[in-house]
Short mmCIF file of all heavy atoms in Angstrom, two decimals:
data_model
loop_
_atom_site.label_atom_id
_atom_site.label_comp_id
_atom_site.label_asym_id
_atom_site.label_seq_id
_atom_site.Cartn_x
_atom_site.Cartn_y
_atom_site.Cartn_z
N CYS A 577 -95.02 -63.56 16.59
CA CYS A 577 -93.77 -63.26 17.14
C CYS A 577 -93.29 -64.50 17.94
O CYS A 577 -94.05 -65.09 18.66
CB CYS A 577 -93.80 -62.05 18.09
SG CYS A 577 -92.23 -61.73 18.89
N TYR A 579 -91.30 -64.38 20.37
CA TYR A 579 -91.00 -64.06 21.73
C TYR A 579 -92.20 -63.54 22.52
O TYR A 579 -92.22 -63.32 23.73
CB TYR A 579 -89.90 -63.02 21.83
CG TYR A 579 -88.77 -63.31 20.93
CD1 TYR A 579 -88.68 -62.63 19.67
CD2 TYR A 579 -87.85 -64.28 21.31
CE1 TYR A 579 -87.56 -62.96 18.84
CE2 TYR A 579 -86.76 -64.60 20.43
CZ TYR A 579 -86.65 -63.92 19.22
OH TYR A 579 -85.60 -64.25 18.39
N CYS A 580 -93.35 -63.27 21.77
CA CYS A 580 -94.48 -62.71 22.47
C CYS A 580 -95.77 -63.41 22.00
O CYS A 580 -95.77 -64.05 20.96
CB CYS A 580 -94.69 -61.22 22.02
SG CYS A 580 -93.29 -60.16 22.23
N CYS A 595 -92.25 -57.00 15.31
CA CYS A 595 -93.13 -57.12 16.50
C CYS A 595 -93.22 -55.76 17.18
O CYS A 595 -92.18 -55.21 17.54
CB CYS A 595 -92.58 -58.17 17.49
SG CYS A 595 -93.60 -58.28 18.96
N CYS A 598 -92.04 -56.24 21.30
CA CYS A 598 -90.67 -56.49 21.76
C CYS A 598 -89.64 -55.98 20.86
O CYS A 598 -88.44 -55.98 21.13
CB CYS A 598 -90.42 -58.01 21.99
SG CYS A 598 -90.30 -58.93 20.39
ZN1 LIG B 992 -92.44 -59.77 20.12
#
Side-chain angles (χ1 to χ4, degrees):
C577 178
Y579 314 102
C580 308
C595 175
C598 72

